[in-house]
Amino acid sequence: MSRLDSFIRRLEAQRSVLDWAAAQTVGRDGLVLELGLGNGRTYDHLRERLPGRAIHVFERDPKAHPQSMPPARLLVIGDMAETLPAFAAQHGASAVLIHVDVTTGVPERDAVALSWLPAEVAALAAPTALVVSGCALDHPALRPEPLPDDVPEGRYFAYRRMGAGERSETGEIV
Ligand SMILES: C[S@@+](CC[C@H](N)C(=O)[O-])C[C@H]1O[C@@H](n2cnc3c(N)ncnc32)[C@H](O)[C@@H]1O
């Protein structure tokens, strides 16, 4: 498969997952978090699918398309390794939807560079929150969730945050 085909498939999977995740978030109270603003495409898509909803966006170097720039009060600038714990200290596990799009496209590199990420995401997610991610997030409190049928295996990942006191597959109480 050419890199162009692969890129197009990734975007199609991303749109399908975001539509699916947003539909499940309508009517649920809680924060919506976008990790990785980039060009702002997925942020723009989420805010269109969740009109009127405040979406907090995390980015170390905000350079989005001007039409996709979040309002300053919802943009958390800095390295997420530092801004996510600070946000969790302030807001607790209050997110009902977290979209993680920080991947570099090289899973081996992401696994090392972002080793801290799954724990920070788990700390921000409310019980039964949905987490959708471009990279795998390995954490006992994040239970893999089946994706929509049109999303090829391994293209995107979804997790359900387990509730307090539930036992993970490895037997840990989370
Ligand atoms: C793949 S891009 C996001 C694409 C975006 N969702 C879109 O649709 O345009 C990943 C973004 O995550 C940001 N990023 C990666 N690691 C980060 C970190 N540790 N802290 C803050 N931002 C980070 C990068 O600067 C980049 O803008």
Side-chain angles (χ1 to χ4, degrees):
M1 187 190 305
S2 74
R3 287 183 54 218
L4 177 62
D5 285 333
S6 177
F7 181 62
I8 290 168
R9 287 187 191 191
R10 179 174 145 68
L11 294 185
E12 285 175 342
Q14 197 170 43
R15 179 182 56 189
S16 186
V17 169
L18 291 181
D19 287 349
W20 169 79
Q24 294 186 57
T25 305
V26 172
R28 280 201 70 184
D29 288 337
L31 302 181
V32 175
L33 308 181
E34 166 84 340
L35 310 192
L37 174 66
N39 186 273
R41 276 184 286 253
T42 54
Y43 164 67
D44 188 50
H45 195 75
L46 270 181
R47 72 177 173 179
E48 191 179 290
R49 292 293 183 270
L50 296 168
R53 192 112 189 197
I55 302 173
H56 293 263
V57 184
F58 296 77
E59 172 62 54
R60 68 176 151 216
D61 187 19
K63 286 185 185 151
H65 186 283
Q67 289 172 4
S68 303
M69 191 60 95
R73 70 189 167 82
L74 297 174
L75 180 60
V76 185
I77 301 173
D79 188 329
M80 281 183 244
E82 291 164 15
T83 58
L84 293 180
F87 193 86
Q90 197 181 346
H91 297 275
S94 54
V96 285
L97 173 62
I98 304 178
H99 174 224
V100 183
D101 192 15
V102 297
T103 181
T104 60
V106 183
E108 299 77 17
R109 194 192 303 166
D110 289 341
V112 176
L114 302 171
S115 58
W116 46 270
L117 185 61
E120 300 306 335
V121 170
L124 283 161
T128 77
L130 188 57
V131 176
V132 291
S133 175
C135 58
L137 298 174
D138 187 16
H139 189 276
L142 299 175
R143 179 177 284 154
E145 182 88 350
L147 282 160
D149 289 344
D150 62 336
V151 179
E153 181 90 26
R155 284 259 163 214
Y156 235 78
F157 302 85
Y159 303 90
R160 186 75 61 186
R161 173 63 163 101
M162 293 170 65
E166 268 192 84
R167 202 174 276 279
S168 74
E169 279 175 13
T170 50
E172 290 163 80
I173 295 180
V174 297

